[in-house]
C-alpha cells in the first residue's frame, strides 16, 4: 500500500485558517488520503476545528483521517509537513498591550505585528515557541518541512534559521499574490494575463516587474498605467474587502520609488517614518491611514467566528472554496514531484545580493520533489535596498536579542525602528520598552523580563 502523507497543524484552533489550508489540501488527489493531525492547547477550539475538518472530509468524499492532539510532540510524530498558525498571547491581553502602552507615549500604530515596538514584542513572545516546535521536529520528524504562517514572519524565519539551520522551513504569506489581484482589479485586467516578479523581505517586497501579456505573446510594462491612474485620481479603487483601508500609501510610494510594494498600505504606513506623525492629522486624512486597525479586525473576526462556528456545527456539509495560500501547492509538489512556483521567506543565502546573507528574504521559489528552492535575484534597485535595510536593522537586533539573551538589543531594535524613532526621543523609547516588558512579563522569556522595582528605579 502506498504511504500517505502526514500533515500536522500546530495552532489548529485557528479554525477558519485551518479550514482554508486543509480544504485546499484535501482537494489535491495526491494528498486526499492524508492523516491530518490537529494540535491546539485550547480544548474547545480544538473540538470546533475537529468538527469542521471532519465535515470537510465528508463533503469532499475523501479518505483523509483526522486526529486531534493537545501534546505537540505526539502530534508531530512522523509528520511530513508541519503547518504553524498561532498568535502567542492572543488579541487579549497581548495585542491590546502592544497598542495601548505605546499610545500613552503618543506612538500610534495600525497593525503592529511585523515591525515597530509591536513587532519586536510579538517576536519576543513567538520565537521561543517556534524554537520548541523545531526541537520536537528534530526528535520525531527531522525531515519534515515547516510551513510557517506566523507573524512577525521575517523575525521568525531568521531566528529559526539561526538556531536550527537543519530545519527545512519556509515562511508563507499571501501578500504577493493578494496585491497582484488588487492591482489587476484596479487595472481591469484579468490576473491570468499578468506576469510579475517580486523580491525583498516579508511585507516589504517589491514587484520588480509587473507586466501584461499581449496577443502577440510580448509583455507590456504596467507601471506607467498604475502611475497615470493614481495621478488622475482613478486608482486606487474603493477597497472591496475593507472600506477603512484605502490603498493610497503604496501608490504614493510608487511615485517616489518607482516600484509597488507587496504588503498593504495600512502595514506600510508604520514601516516608514513618513505617514503617521504626531500633530499631523492632515497626513492621516490625506492617505486614509487606519490607526488601531488590527484591534478592530480582531474584534470583528471574533464576533464573526461566533456565528460561523455555530453554523459549521449545524451544517451537514461545508462549502470548500480554493484559497490563495501556497501550503497545498508546496505539499503537492514535494509529494508528487509536480513543479510549482511560490513566494517564500527563507534565509537569503545570496539570493538578493544587496541584502545581508543571513536575513530572511522573500523571493520566488521552485518547489518539486527536491523541496523548496529559492531563485537568484541579484541586487535590488538601490532605493529599495536602502528602505528594506531600515526594517532589517530592527529584525536583526531582535533576533540577536533572542539568540544571545541580551535584553539590551530589544531597546536597540526599538531605537532603530523608523516609525518609533521619528516619534519618540531616546528616553521615551527606553521607558516604553521597559513598560512593554513589564506588561508582557508572563508571555516573554525570563531573560527579557523587567521587574517593576528596576523600572521604578
Amino acid at each position: 500500500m502506498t504511504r500517505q502523507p502526514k500533515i500536522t497543524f500546530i495552532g489548529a484552533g485557528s479554525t477558519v485558517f485551518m479550514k482554508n489550508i486543509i480544504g485546499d489540501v484535501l482537494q489535491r488527489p495526491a494528498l486526499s488520503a492524508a492523516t491530518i493531525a490537529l494540535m491546539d492547547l485550547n480544548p474547545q477550539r480544538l473540538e470546533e476545528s475537529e468538527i469542521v475538518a471532519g465535515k470537510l472530509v465528508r463533503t469532499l468524499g475523501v479518505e483523509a483521517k483526522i486526529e486531534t492532539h493537545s501534546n505537540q510532540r505526539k502530534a508531530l510524530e512522523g509528520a511530513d509537513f508541519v503547518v504553524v498558525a498561532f498568535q502567542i498571547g492572543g488579541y487579549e491581553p497581548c495585542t491590546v498591550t502592544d497598542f495601548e502602552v505605546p499610545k500613552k507615549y503618543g506612538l500610534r500604530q495600525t497593525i503592529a505585528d511585523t515591525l515597530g515596538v509591536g513587532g519586536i514584542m510579538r517576536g519576543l513572545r513567538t520565537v521561543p515557541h517556534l524554537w520548541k516546535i523545531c526541537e520536537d521536529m528534530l526528535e520525531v520528524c527531522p525531515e519534515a518541512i515547516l510551513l510557517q504562517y506566523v507573524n512577525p514572519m521575517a523575525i521568525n524565519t531568521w531566528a529559526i534559521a539561526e538556531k536550527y539551520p537543519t530545519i527545512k522551513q519556509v515562511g508563507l504569506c499571501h501578500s504577493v499574490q493578494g496585491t497582484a489581484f488588487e492591482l489587476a482589479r484596479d487595472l481591469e485586467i484579468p490576473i491570468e494575463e499578468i506576469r510579475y516578479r517580486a523580491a525583498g523581505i516579508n511585507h516589504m517586497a517589491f514587484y520588480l516587474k509587473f507586466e501584461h501579456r499581449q496577443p502577440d505573446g510580448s509583455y507590456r510594462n504596467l507601471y506607467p498605467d498604475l502611475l497615470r491612474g493614481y495621478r488622475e485620481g482613478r486608482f486606487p479603487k474603493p477597497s472591496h474587502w475593507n472600506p477603512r483601508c484605502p490603498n493610497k500609501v503604496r501608490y504614493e510610494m510608487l511615485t517616489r520609488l518607482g516600484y509597488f510594494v507587496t504588503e498593504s498600505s495600512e502595514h506600510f504606513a508604520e514601516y516608514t517614518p513618513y505617514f503617521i506623525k504626531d500633530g499631523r492629522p492632515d497626513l492621516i486624512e490625506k492617505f486614509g491611514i487606519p490607526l488601531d486597525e488590527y484591534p478592530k479586525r480582531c474584534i470583528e473576526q471574533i464576533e464573526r467566528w461566533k456565528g460561523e462556528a455555530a453554523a459549521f456545527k449545524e451544517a451537514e456539509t461545508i462549502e470548500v472554496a480554493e484559497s490563495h495560500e501556497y501550503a497545498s501547492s508546496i505539499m503537492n509538489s514535494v509529494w508528487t514531484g509536480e513543479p510549482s512556483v511560490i513566494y517564500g521567506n527563507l534565509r537569503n543565502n545570496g539570493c538578493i545580493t544587496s541584502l545581508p546573507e543571513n536575513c530572511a528574504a522573500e523571493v520566488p521559489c521552485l518547489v518539486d520533489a527536491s523541496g523548496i528552492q529559492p531563485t537568484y535575484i541579484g541586487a535590488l534597485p538601490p532605493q529599495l535596498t536602502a528602505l528594506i535595510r531600515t526594517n532589517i536593522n530592527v529584525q536583526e537586533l531582535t533576533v540577536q536579542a533572542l539568540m544571545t539573551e541580551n535584553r539590551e538589543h530589544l531597546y536597540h531594535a526599538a531605537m532603530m525602528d523608523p516609525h518609533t524613532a521619528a516619534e519618540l526621543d531616546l528616553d521615551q523609547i527606553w521607558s516604553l520598552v521597559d513598560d512593554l516588558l513589564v506588561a508582557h512579563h508572563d508571555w516573554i522569556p525570563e531573560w527579557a523580563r523587567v521587574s517593576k522595582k528596576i523600572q521604578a528605579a
Side-chain angles (χ1 to χ4, degrees), residues 159-340:
I160 290 170
E162 285 291 310
K163 195 170 177 77
Y164 296 101
T166 63
I167 290 285
K168 299 173 185 174
Q169 62 142 341
V170 62
L172 297 171
C173 182
H174 47 243
S175 60
V176 173
Q177 65 271 43
T179 293
F181 275 98
E182 284 185 76
L183 293 180
R185 179 176 159 271
D186 280 357
L187 292 161
E188 297 182 2
I189 295 173
I191 187 65
E192 300 78 27
E193 296 176 13
I194 288 177
R195 177 176 75 172
Y196 57 82
R197 184 172 176 80
I201 59 173
N202 182 238
H203 287 185
M204 200 183 270
F206 291 85
Y207 294 105
L208 304 176
K209 288 183 178 178
F210 203 79
E211 302 170 323
H212 184 201
R213 188 176 69 248
Q214 303 299 294
D216 66 359
S218 64
Y219 284 86
R220 183 173 69 84
N221 179 14
L222 288 170
Y223 271 136
D225 294 20
L226 290 170
L227 283 162
R228 192 179 311 113
Y230 178 59
R231 287 178 171 141
E232 292 173 359
R234 293 182 287 110
F235 302 161
K237 291 182 179 172
S239 174
H240 64 297
W241 73 276
N242 189 343
R244 287 192 300 267
C245 304
N247 209 4
K248 293 180 182 176
V249 166
R250 291 195 287 176
Y251 270 101
E252 184 64 23
M253 290 302 285
L254 168 64
T255 71
R256 312 291 177 161
L257 297 172
Y259 295 88
F260 206 91
V261 74
T262 54
E263 187 45 80
S264 65
S265 285
E266 55 268 29
H267 275 274
F268 201 69
E270 65 180 9
Y271 304 157
T272 59
Y274 315 119
F275 297 98
I276 306 172
K277 290 183 176 291
D278 189 34
R280 292 295 306 275
D282 57 308
L283 290 174
I284 304 299
E285 185 177 350
K286 178 181 179 181
F287 293 107
I289 293 164
L291 297 170
D292 297 326
E293 170 62 20
Y294 189 61
K296 290 171 187 168
R297 271 186 213 176
C298 289
I299 292 166
E300 289 168 357
Q301 285 168 352
I302 290 164
E303 281 305 306
R304 189 161 59 241
W305 170 240
K306 286 177 186 173
E308 287 181 355
F312 285 148
K313 279 183 180 177
E314 292 175 14
E316 285 297 312
T317 58
I318 294 176
E319 182 185 348
V320 190
E322 188 179 346
S323 81
H324 301 300
E325 305 294 351
Y326 289 129
S328 72
S329 174
I330 293 169
M331 295 178 201
N332 186 68
S333 291
V334 171
W335 199 252
T336 66
E338 179 188 333
S340 63

Side-chain angles (χ1 to χ4, degrees), residues 124 127-128 131 158-159 162-163 395-412 445-448:
L124 185 61
V127 166
W131 280 348
W158 192 331
E162 285 291 310
K163 195 170 177 77
Q395 295 161 5
E396 182 169 31
L397 284 160
T398 306
V399 172
Q400 276 297 306
L402 285 154
M403 289 294 294
T404 62
E405 299 189 356
N406 181 348
R407 192 172 65 218
E408 284 295 303
H409 289 324
L410 298 172
Y411 299 83
H412 299 150
E446 199 169 329
W447 60 263

Side-chain angles (χ1 to χ4, degrees), residues 356-378:
E357 280 277 310
N358 60 341
C359 79
E362 187 166 73
V363 294
C365 303
L366 169 68
V367 191
D368 60 17
S370 297
I372 300 165
Q373 301 146 78
T375 58
Y376 175 81
I377 297 293

Side-chain angles (χ1 to χ4, degrees), residues 88-89 93-94 97-98 101 121 124-125 128-129 407 410 432-455:
I88 303 301
C94 288
T97 298
D98 284 340
V101 174
M121 292 298 139
L124 185 61
R125 297 193 301 269
H129 292 270
R407 192 172 65 218
L410 298 172
L432 170 55
V433 173
D434 277 346
D435 287 354
L436 284 165
L437 294 177
V438 168
H440 286 307
H441 183 274
D442 295 338
W443 295 96
I444 59 177
E446 199 169 329
W447 60 263
R449 292 173 184 169
V450 171
S451 76
K452 291 179 181 174
K453 287 179 186 173
I454 292 174
Q455 188 191 25

